């Protein structure tokens, strides 16, 4: 998508529509990936504070052991709580890393498309006719 040649006035409606949709979807992907990183980080920080016990071939994890109303997470058919929590921590770290990479790719795509479209300045062309007209008036006076 980034290799489509730029036409100055967006002469084709299809080109403009496709580029706009690509930019909007990249921005939406950026927001989704940042939210995914935030939630994975939140869950990872919660899992590091868990205390887990094996009860009847299931792993029961609590965030706060002294709170009787505290939330209990039960993982059925998991006899080894240590390997379960380490595996889930690894999955969450991997999810954070991959979503961060995806967010950076979406950000780079948005930046390249924005820069390609809006940061092309032709300052010299605009002021050149003004200086030429001013020089012509000086010669006539």
């Amino acid at each position: 998508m980034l290799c489509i040649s730029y036409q100055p006035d967006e002469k084709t409606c299809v080109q403009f529509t496709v580029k706009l949709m690509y930019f909007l979807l990249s921005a939406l992907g950026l927001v989704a990936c940042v939210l995914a990183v935030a939630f994975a980080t939140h869950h990872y920080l919660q899992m590091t504070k868990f205390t887990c016990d094996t009860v009847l071939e299931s792993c029961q994890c609590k965030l706060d052991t002294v709170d009787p109303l505290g939330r209990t997470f039960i993982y059925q058919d998991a006899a080894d709580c240590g390997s379960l929590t380490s595996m889930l921590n690894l999955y969450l770290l991997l999810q954070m890393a991959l979503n961060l990479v995806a967010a950076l790719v979406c950000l780079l795509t948005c930046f390249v498309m924005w820069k390609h479209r809006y940061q092309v300045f032709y300052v010299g062309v605009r002021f050149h006719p003004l200086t030429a007209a001013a020089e012509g008036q000086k010669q006539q006076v």
Side-chain angles (χ1 to χ4, degrees), residues 8-65:
D9 294 323
E10 301 282 351
K11 292 182 180 177
T12 61
C13 183
V14 174
Q15 179 186 5
F16 175 75
T17 305
V18 168
K19 282 190 172 186
L20 180 67
M21 289 302 296
Y22 188 68
F23 180 80
L24 292 176
L25 288 175
S26 295
L28 181 68
L30 174 65
V31 170
C33 288
V34 168
L35 284 174
V37 169
F39 281 114
T41 304
H42 172 71
H43 286 116
Y44 177 78
L45 291 175
Q46 269 192 337
M47 285 205 69
T48 57
K49 297 176 185 175
F50 277 170
T51 52
C52 298
D53 295 321
T54 304
V55 178
L56 299 173
E57 293 190 18
S58 66
C59 185
Q60 293 185 359
C61 299
K62 281 191 168 190
L63 189 59
D64 188 10
T65 55

Short mmCIF file of all heavy atoms in Angstrom, two decimals, residues 8-65:
data_model
loop_
_atom_site.label_atom_id
_atom_site.label_comp_id
_atom_site.label_asym_id
_atom_site.label_seq_id
_atom_site.Cartn_x
_atom_site.Cartn_y
_atom_site.Cartn_z
N PRO A 8 -0.69 14.21 -7.38
CA PRO A 8 -0.79 15.47 -6.64
C PRO A 8 -2.18 15.83 -6.14
O PRO A 8 -2.34 16.21 -5.01
CB PRO A 8 -0.30 16.51 -7.65
CG PRO A 8 0.54 15.75 -8.61
CD PRO A 8 -0.01 14.36 -8.66
N ASP A 9 -3.18 15.73 -6.94
CA ASP A 9 -4.51 16.16 -6.52
C ASP A 9 -5.43 14.99 -6.21
O ASP A 9 -6.65 15.17 -6.22
CB ASP A 9 -5.14 17.04 -7.60
CG ASP A 9 -4.39 18.34 -7.76
OD1 ASP A 9 -3.93 18.86 -6.74
OD2 ASP A 9 -4.26 18.81 -8.90
N GLU A 10 -4.86 13.82 -5.96
CA GLU A 10 -5.67 12.63 -5.71
C GLU A 10 -6.73 12.50 -6.80
O GLU A 10 -7.92 12.51 -6.54
CB GLU A 10 -6.33 12.69 -4.32
CG GLU A 10 -5.38 12.80 -3.17
CD GLU A 10 -4.72 11.48 -2.79
OE1 GLU A 10 -5.12 10.44 -3.31
OE2 GLU A 10 -3.78 11.52 -1.99
N LYS A 11 -6.27 12.42 -8.04
CA LYS A 11 -7.18 12.47 -9.20
C LYS A 11 -8.17 11.31 -9.21
O LYS A 11 -9.24 11.43 -9.78
CB LYS A 11 -6.36 12.48 -10.48
CG LYS A 11 -5.57 13.77 -10.64
CD LYS A 11 -4.81 13.79 -11.93
CE LYS A 11 -4.04 15.08 -12.05
NZ LYS A 11 -3.23 15.15 -13.21
N THR A 12 -7.79 10.20 -8.60
CA THR A 12 -8.72 9.08 -8.60
C THR A 12 -9.36 8.97 -7.23
O THR A 12 -8.70 9.02 -6.20
CB THR A 12 -8.01 7.77 -8.94
OG1 THR A 12 -7.01 7.52 -7.95
CG2 THR A 12 -7.36 7.83 -10.31
N CYS A 13 -10.65 8.84 -7.22
CA CYS A 13 -11.40 8.71 -5.98
C CYS A 13 -11.07 7.38 -5.29
O CYS A 13 -11.03 7.31 -4.07
CB CYS A 13 -12.89 8.80 -6.28
SG CYS A 13 -13.93 8.75 -4.82
N VAL A 14 -10.80 6.36 -6.09
CA VAL A 14 -10.48 5.05 -5.54
C VAL A 14 -9.17 5.11 -4.76
O VAL A 14 -9.06 4.58 -3.65
CB VAL A 14 -10.40 4.00 -6.66
CG1 VAL A 14 -9.94 2.67 -6.13
CG2 VAL A 14 -11.75 3.86 -7.34
N GLN A 15 -8.16 5.80 -5.32
CA GLN A 15 -6.88 5.91 -4.63
C GLN A 15 -7.04 6.64 -3.30
O GLN A 15 -6.51 6.21 -2.28
CB GLN A 15 -5.86 6.64 -5.51
CG GLN A 15 -4.52 6.81 -4.83
CD GLN A 15 -3.56 7.66 -5.63
OE1 GLN A 15 -3.92 8.20 -6.66
NE2 GLN A 15 -2.35 7.77 -5.16
N PHE A 16 -7.78 7.72 -3.30
CA PHE A 16 -8.00 8.48 -2.07
C PHE A 16 -8.74 7.63 -1.04
O PHE A 16 -8.37 7.60 0.14
CB PHE A 16 -8.79 9.75 -2.37
CG PHE A 16 -9.16 10.52 -1.13
CD1 PHE A 16 -8.20 11.25 -0.45
CD2 PHE A 16 -10.46 10.48 -0.65
CE1 PHE A 16 -8.53 11.95 0.69
CE2 PHE A 16 -10.79 11.18 0.50
CZ PHE A 16 -9.83 11.91 1.17
N THR A 17 -9.78 6.93 -1.47
CA THR A 17 -10.58 6.11 -0.55
C THR A 17 -9.75 4.97 0.03
O THR A 17 -9.81 4.71 1.24
CB THR A 17 -11.81 5.55 -1.28
OG1 THR A 17 -12.53 6.64 -1.85
CG2 THR A 17 -12.69 4.78 -0.35
N VAL A 18 -8.96 4.30 -0.80
CA VAL A 18 -8.15 3.18 -0.33
C VAL A 18 -7.09 3.68 0.66
O VAL A 18 -6.88 3.08 1.73
CB VAL A 18 -7.50 2.44 -1.51
CG1 VAL A 18 -6.44 1.47 -1.05
CG2 VAL A 18 -8.57 1.70 -2.31
N LYS A 19 -6.45 4.78 0.35
CA LYS A 19 -5.43 5.31 1.27
C LYS A 19 -6.05 5.79 2.58
O LYS A 19 -5.48 5.59 3.65
CB LYS A 19 -4.64 6.44 0.61
CG LYS A 19 -3.61 5.94 -0.36
CD LYS A 19 -2.71 7.06 -0.80
CE LYS A 19 -1.56 6.51 -1.62
NZ LYS A 19 -0.59 7.53 -1.96
N LEU A 20 -7.21 6.40 2.51
CA LEU A 20 -7.88 6.86 3.73
C LEU A 20 -8.28 5.68 4.60
O LEU A 20 -8.07 5.69 5.82
CB LEU A 20 -9.11 7.70 3.37
CG LEU A 20 -9.90 8.23 4.57
CD1 LEU A 20 -9.07 9.25 5.34
CD2 LEU A 20 -11.21 8.84 4.10
N MET A 21 -8.84 4.65 3.99
CA MET A 21 -9.23 3.46 4.74
C MET A 21 -8.01 2.77 5.34
O MET A 21 -8.06 2.30 6.48
CB MET A 21 -10.02 2.49 3.85
CG MET A 21 -11.40 2.98 3.49
SD MET A 21 -12.43 3.32 4.93
CE MET A 21 -12.55 1.70 5.64
N TYR A 22 -6.93 2.71 4.59
CA TYR A 22 -5.70 2.10 5.09
C TYR A 22 -5.17 2.88 6.29
O TYR A 22 -4.76 2.30 7.29
CB TYR A 22 -4.67 2.04 3.97
CG TYR A 22 -3.43 1.26 4.31
CD1 TYR A 22 -3.49 -0.11 4.48
CD2 TYR A 22 -2.21 1.89 4.45
CE1 TYR A 22 -2.36 -0.84 4.79
CE2 TYR A 22 -1.08 1.18 4.76
CZ TYR A 22 -1.15 -0.18 4.92
OH TYR A 22 -0.03 -0.88 5.24
N PHE A 23 -5.20 4.19 6.21
CA PHE A 23 -4.74 5.03 7.33
C PHE A 23 -5.63 4.84 8.55
O PHE A 23 -5.14 4.67 9.67
CB PHE A 23 -4.70 6.50 6.91
CG PHE A 23 -4.24 7.41 8.00
CD1 PHE A 23 -2.90 7.54 8.29
CD2 PHE A 23 -5.15 8.14 8.75
CE1 PHE A 23 -2.46 8.38 9.30
CE2 PHE A 23 -4.73 8.97 9.76
CZ PHE A 23 -3.38 9.10 10.03
N LEU A 24 -6.96 4.86 8.35
CA LEU A 24 -7.88 4.71 9.47
C LEU A 24 -7.77 3.33 10.11
O LEU A 24 -7.82 3.20 11.34
CB LEU A 24 -9.32 4.98 9.02
CG LEU A 24 -9.62 6.43 8.64
CD1 LEU A 24 -11.04 6.55 8.11
CD2 LEU A 24 -9.39 7.36 9.81
N LEU A 25 -7.63 2.29 9.28
CA LEU A 25 -7.47 0.94 9.84
C LEU A 25 -6.13 0.79 10.58
O LEU A 25 -6.06 0.10 11.60
CB LEU A 25 -7.60 -0.11 8.73
CG LEU A 25 -9.01 -0.30 8.20
CD1 LEU A 25 -9.00 -1.27 7.02
CD2 LEU A 25 -9.94 -0.80 9.28
N SER A 26 -5.10 1.44 10.08
CA SER A 26 -3.82 1.41 10.79
C SER A 26 -3.92 2.13 12.13
O SER A 26 -3.37 1.67 13.13
CB SER A 26 -2.71 2.04 9.94
OG SER A 26 -2.50 1.28 8.78
N ALA A 27 -4.62 3.24 12.16
CA ALA A 27 -4.82 3.97 13.42
C ALA A 27 -5.66 3.15 14.39
O ALA A 27 -5.36 3.09 15.59
CB ALA A 27 -5.47 5.32 13.15
N LEU A 28 -6.68 2.47 13.88
CA LEU A 28 -7.50 1.60 14.72
C LEU A 28 -6.68 0.43 15.25
O LEU A 28 -6.79 0.04 16.41
CB LEU A 28 -8.72 1.11 13.94
CG LEU A 28 -9.68 0.21 14.69
CD1 LEU A 28 -10.38 1.01 15.79
CD2 LEU A 28 -10.70 -0.38 13.74
N GLY A 29 -5.83 -0.14 14.39
CA GLY A 29 -4.95 -1.22 14.82
C GLY A 29 -3.97 -0.77 15.88
O GLY A 29 -3.65 -1.51 16.82
N LEU A 30 -3.49 0.46 15.75
CA LEU A 30 -2.58 1.02 16.75
C LEU A 30 -3.27 1.11 18.11
O LEU A 30 -2.71 0.69 19.12
CB LEU A 30 -2.09 2.40 16.30
CG LEU A 30 -1.24 3.18 17.29
CD1 LEU A 30 0.08 2.48 17.55
CD2 LEU A 30 -1.00 4.58 16.78
N VAL A 31 -4.49 1.61 18.12
CA VAL A 31 -5.24 1.73 19.38
C VAL A 31 -5.51 0.35 19.97
O VAL A 31 -5.33 0.12 21.18
CB VAL A 31 -6.55 2.52 19.16
CG1 VAL A 31 -7.46 2.46 20.37
CG2 VAL A 31 -6.24 3.95 18.79
N ALA A 32 -5.92 -0.60 19.14
CA ALA A 32 -6.21 -1.95 19.62
C ALA A 32 -4.97 -2.62 20.19
O ALA A 32 -5.03 -3.27 21.24
CB ALA A 32 -6.80 -2.79 18.49
N CYS A 33 -3.83 -2.45 19.53
CA CYS A 33 -2.59 -3.08 20.01
C CYS A 33 -2.11 -2.45 21.31
O CYS A 33 -1.63 -3.15 22.21
CB CYS A 33 -1.51 -2.99 18.94
SG CYS A 33 -1.80 -4.09 17.56
N VAL A 34 -2.25 -1.14 21.44
CA VAL A 34 -1.86 -0.48 22.69
C VAL A 34 -2.76 -0.94 23.83
O VAL A 34 -2.28 -1.20 24.95
CB VAL A 34 -1.88 1.05 22.52
CG1 VAL A 34 -1.76 1.76 23.85
CG2 VAL A 34 -0.75 1.49 21.60
N LEU A 35 -4.06 -1.07 23.57
CA LEU A 35 -4.97 -1.58 24.60
C LEU A 35 -4.65 -3.03 24.97
O LEU A 35 -4.70 -3.41 26.14
CB LEU A 35 -6.42 -1.48 24.13
CG LEU A 35 -7.03 -0.09 24.17
CD1 LEU A 35 -8.42 -0.09 23.55
CD2 LEU A 35 -7.09 0.43 25.59
N ALA A 36 -4.29 -3.84 23.98
CA ALA A 36 -3.92 -5.23 24.26
C ALA A 36 -2.67 -5.31 25.11
O ALA A 36 -2.57 -6.13 26.02
CB ALA A 36 -3.73 -5.99 22.95
N VAL A 37 -1.70 -4.44 24.83
CA VAL A 37 -0.48 -4.40 25.66
C VAL A 37 -0.83 -3.99 27.09
O VAL A 37 -0.32 -4.56 28.06
CB VAL A 37 0.57 -3.45 25.05
CG1 VAL A 37 1.71 -3.19 26.01
CG2 VAL A 37 1.12 -4.04 23.76
N ALA A 38 -1.70 -3.00 27.23
CA ALA A 38 -2.08 -2.53 28.57
C ALA A 38 -2.78 -3.61 29.38
O ALA A 38 -2.45 -3.84 30.55
CB ALA A 38 -2.97 -1.29 28.45
N PHE A 39 -3.73 -4.32 28.76
CA PHE A 39 -4.44 -5.37 29.48
C PHE A 39 -3.54 -6.56 29.78
O PHE A 39 -3.63 -7.15 30.86
CB PHE A 39 -5.69 -5.81 28.71
CG PHE A 39 -6.84 -4.87 28.87
CD1 PHE A 39 -7.31 -4.15 27.79
CD2 PHE A 39 -7.45 -4.69 30.10
CE1 PHE A 39 -8.37 -3.28 27.92
CE2 PHE A 39 -8.52 -3.82 30.25
CZ PHE A 39 -8.97 -3.11 29.16
N ALA A 40 -2.67 -6.93 28.86
CA ALA A 40 -1.74 -8.03 29.13
C ALA A 40 -0.79 -7.66 30.26
O ALA A 40 -0.47 -8.50 31.11
CB ALA A 40 -0.97 -8.39 27.86
N THR A 41 -0.35 -6.42 30.29
CA THR A 41 0.52 -5.96 31.38
C THR A 41 -0.21 -6.00 32.71
O THR A 41 0.34 -6.43 33.73
CB THR A 41 1.03 -4.53 31.09
OG1 THR A 41 1.67 -4.52 29.83
CG2 THR A 41 1.99 -4.06 32.15
N HIS A 42 -1.47 -5.58 32.70
CA HIS A 42 -2.28 -5.61 33.93
C HIS A 42 -2.43 -7.04 34.44
O HIS A 42 -2.25 -7.32 35.63
CB HIS A 42 -3.65 -4.99 33.66
CG HIS A 42 -4.61 -5.14 34.79
ND1 HIS A 42 -4.46 -4.45 35.98
CD2 HIS A 42 -5.72 -5.90 34.93
CE1 HIS A 42 -5.45 -4.79 36.80
NE2 HIS A 42 -6.23 -5.66 36.18
N HIS A 43 -2.75 -7.97 33.54
CA HIS A 43 -2.91 -9.36 33.95
C HIS A 43 -1.58 -9.98 34.40
O HIS A 43 -1.56 -10.78 35.33
CB HIS A 43 -3.53 -10.18 32.82
CG HIS A 43 -4.98 -9.89 32.64
ND1 HIS A 43 -5.48 -9.33 31.49
CD2 HIS A 43 -6.04 -10.06 33.45
CE1 HIS A 43 -6.78 -9.17 31.61
NE2 HIS A 43 -7.15 -9.60 32.79
N TYR A 44 -0.51 -9.60 33.74
CA TYR A 44 0.81 -10.11 34.15
C TYR A 44 1.15 -9.63 35.57
O TYR A 44 1.63 -10.41 36.39
CB TYR A 44 1.88 -9.66 33.16
CG TYR A 44 3.26 -10.09 33.56
CD1 TYR A 44 3.68 -11.40 33.35
CD2 TYR A 44 4.15 -9.20 34.15
CE1 TYR A 44 4.95 -11.81 33.74
CE2 TYR A 44 5.41 -9.60 34.54
CZ TYR A 44 5.81 -10.91 34.32
OH TYR A 44 7.06 -11.31 34.70
N LEU A 45 0.89 -8.36 35.85
CA LEU A 45 1.17 -7.84 37.19
C LEU A 45 0.28 -8.50 38.23
O LEU A 45 0.71 -8.72 39.36
CB LEU A 45 1.01 -6.32 37.21
CG LEU A 45 2.06 -5.54 36.43
CD1 LEU A 45 1.74 -4.06 36.43
CD2 LEU A 45 3.45 -5.79 37.00
N GLN A 46 -0.96 -8.81 37.88
CA GLN A 46 -1.83 -9.53 38.80
C GLN A 46 -1.31 -10.95 39.04
O GLN A 46 -1.32 -11.43 40.18
CB GLN A 46 -3.25 -9.61 38.26
CG GLN A 46 -4.12 -8.49 38.69
CD GLN A 46 -5.58 -8.77 38.38
OE1 GLN A 46 -5.90 -9.57 37.49
NE2 GLN A 46 -6.46 -8.10 39.09
N MET A 47 -0.85 -11.61 37.99
CA MET A 47 -0.40 -13.00 38.15
C MET A 47 0.87 -13.10 38.98
O MET A 47 1.11 -14.13 39.61
CB MET A 47 -0.19 -13.65 36.78
CG MET A 47 -1.49 -14.00 36.12
SD MET A 47 -1.33 -15.32 34.94
CE MET A 47 -1.00 -16.70 35.98
N THR A 48 1.69 -12.07 38.97
CA THR A 48 2.90 -12.12 39.79
C THR A 48 2.58 -12.04 41.28
O THR A 48 3.40 -12.44 42.10
CB THR A 48 3.87 -10.99 39.42
OG1 THR A 48 3.21 -9.73 39.56
CG2 THR A 48 4.37 -11.14 37.99
N LYS A 49 1.38 -11.56 41.62
CA LYS A 49 0.98 -11.45 43.03
C LYS A 49 0.11 -12.62 43.49
O LYS A 49 -0.31 -12.65 44.65
CB LYS A 49 0.22 -10.14 43.24
CG LYS A 49 1.07 -8.91 42.97
CD LYS A 49 0.25 -7.66 43.09
CE LYS A 49 1.06 -6.44 42.70
NZ LYS A 49 0.24 -5.23 42.70
N PHE A 50 -0.17 -13.58 42.61
CA PHE A 50 -1.01 -14.72 42.97
C PHE A 50 -0.29 -15.63 43.96
O PHE A 50 0.92 -15.81 43.89
CB PHE A 50 -1.35 -15.55 41.74
CG PHE A 50 -2.51 -15.04 40.93
CD1 PHE A 50 -2.79 -15.59 39.69
CD2 PHE A 50 -3.32 -14.03 41.39
CE1 PHE A 50 -3.84 -15.12 38.94
CE2 PHE A 50 -4.38 -13.57 40.64
CZ PHE A 50 -4.64 -14.12 39.41
N THR A 51 -1.08 -16.23 44.82
CA THR A 51 -0.61 -17.37 45.62
C THR A 51 -1.47 -18.56 45.22
O THR A 51 -2.70 -18.50 45.29
CB THR A 51 -0.75 -17.09 47.13
OG1 THR A 51 -2.07 -16.68 47.41
CG2 THR A 51 0.22 -16.01 47.56
N CYS A 52 -0.83 -19.62 44.77
CA CYS A 52 -1.56 -20.75 44.20
C CYS A 52 -1.34 -22.00 45.05
O CYS A 52 -0.24 -22.25 45.55
CB CYS A 52 -1.10 -21.01 42.77
SG CYS A 52 -1.41 -19.64 41.66
N ASP A 53 -2.41 -22.79 45.16
CA ASP A 53 -2.37 -24.06 45.88
C ASP A 53 -3.05 -25.12 45.02
O ASP A 53 -4.00 -24.83 44.30
CB ASP A 53 -3.11 -23.97 47.22
CG ASP A 53 -2.44 -23.01 48.18
OD1 ASP A 53 -1.19 -22.98 48.21
OD2 ASP A 53 -3.18 -22.27 48.88
N THR A 54 -2.58 -26.36 45.14
CA THR A 54 -3.18 -27.47 44.41
C THR A 54 -4.25 -28.10 45.28
O THR A 54 -3.97 -28.54 46.40
CB THR A 54 -2.11 -28.52 44.04
OG1 THR A 54 -1.09 -27.88 43.31
CG2 THR A 54 -2.70 -29.64 43.21
N VAL A 55 -5.48 -28.15 44.78
CA VAL A 55 -6.61 -28.72 45.50
C VAL A 55 -7.35 -29.65 44.55
O VAL A 55 -7.94 -29.19 43.56
CB VAL A 55 -7.56 -27.63 46.04
CG1 VAL A 55 -8.74 -28.25 46.75
CG2 VAL A 55 -6.82 -26.68 46.95
N LEU A 56 -7.34 -30.96 44.86
CA LEU A 56 -8.07 -31.97 44.08
C LEU A 56 -7.80 -31.86 42.59
O LEU A 56 -8.72 -31.72 41.77
CB LEU A 56 -9.58 -31.85 44.34
CG LEU A 56 -10.04 -32.08 45.79
CD1 LEU A 56 -11.52 -31.77 45.91
CD2 LEU A 56 -9.72 -33.50 46.24
N GLU A 57 -6.57 -31.95 42.19
CA GLU A 57 -6.12 -31.91 40.80
C GLU A 57 -6.56 -30.64 40.07
O GLU A 57 -6.80 -30.66 38.86
CB GLU A 57 -6.59 -33.14 40.04
CG GLU A 57 -5.94 -34.42 40.52
CD GLU A 57 -6.24 -35.60 39.60
OE1 GLU A 57 -6.64 -35.37 38.45
OE2 GLU A 57 -6.04 -36.73 40.05
N SER A 58 -6.69 -29.58 40.79
CA SER A 58 -6.93 -28.28 40.19
C SER A 58 -6.06 -27.26 40.92
O SER A 58 -5.70 -27.45 42.06
CB SER A 58 -8.41 -27.88 40.26
OG SER A 58 -8.77 -27.68 41.61
N CYS A 59 -5.75 -26.22 40.21
CA CYS A 59 -4.91 -25.18 40.77
C CYS A 59 -5.80 -23.99 41.12
O CYS A 59 -6.49 -23.45 40.26
CB CYS A 59 -3.84 -24.79 39.75
SG CYS A 59 -2.66 -23.60 40.38
N GLN A 60 -5.78 -23.60 42.40
CA GLN A 60 -6.58 -22.48 42.85
C GLN A 60 -5.66 -21.33 43.22
O GLN A 60 -4.79 -21.47 44.08
CB GLN A 60 -7.45 -22.86 44.05
CG GLN A 60 -8.51 -23.87 43.71
CD GLN A 60 -9.43 -24.14 44.89
OE1 GLN A 60 -9.25 -23.59 45.96
NE2 GLN A 60 -10.42 -24.99 44.67
N CYS A 61 -5.85 -20.20 42.56
CA CYS A 61 -4.99 -19.05 42.79
C CYS A 61 -5.82 -17.90 43.35
O CYS A 61 -6.92 -17.63 42.88
CB CYS A 61 -4.33 -18.61 41.48
SG CYS A 61 -3.27 -19.86 40.76
N LYS A 62 -5.26 -17.22 44.35
CA LYS A 62 -5.90 -16.07 44.96
C LYS A 62 -4.95 -14.89 44.90
O LYS A 62 -3.75 -15.03 45.02
CB LYS A 62 -6.26 -16.35 46.41
CG LYS A 62 -7.49 -17.15 46.61
CD LYS A 62 -7.88 -17.12 48.06
CE LYS A 62 -9.28 -17.67 48.22
NZ LYS A 62 -9.78 -17.46 49.57
N LEU A 63 -5.55 -13.71 44.74
CA LEU A 63 -4.76 -12.50 44.74
C LEU A 63 -4.42 -12.08 46.17
O LEU A 63 -3.28 -11.74 46.48
CB LEU A 63 -5.52 -11.38 44.02
CG LEU A 63 -4.76 -10.11 43.74
CD1 LEU A 63 -3.53 -10.38 42.88
CD2 LEU A 63 -5.65 -9.10 43.05
N ASP A 64 -5.40 -12.12 47.05
CA ASP A 64 -5.20 -11.77 48.46
C ASP A 64 -5.72 -12.92 49.30
O ASP A 64 -6.93 -13.17 49.34
CB ASP A 64 -5.93 -10.46 48.77
CG ASP A 64 -5.60 -9.93 50.15
OD1 ASP A 64 -4.68 -10.47 50.79
OD2 ASP A 64 -6.26 -8.97 50.57
N THR A 65 -4.84 -13.62 50.02
CA THR A 65 -5.24 -14.82 50.76
C THR A 65 -6.01 -14.49 52.03
O THR A 65 -6.79 -15.32 52.50
CB THR A 65 -4.00 -15.66 51.12
OG1 THR A 65 -3.09 -14.84 51.84
CG2 THR A 65 -3.35 -16.21 49.88
#
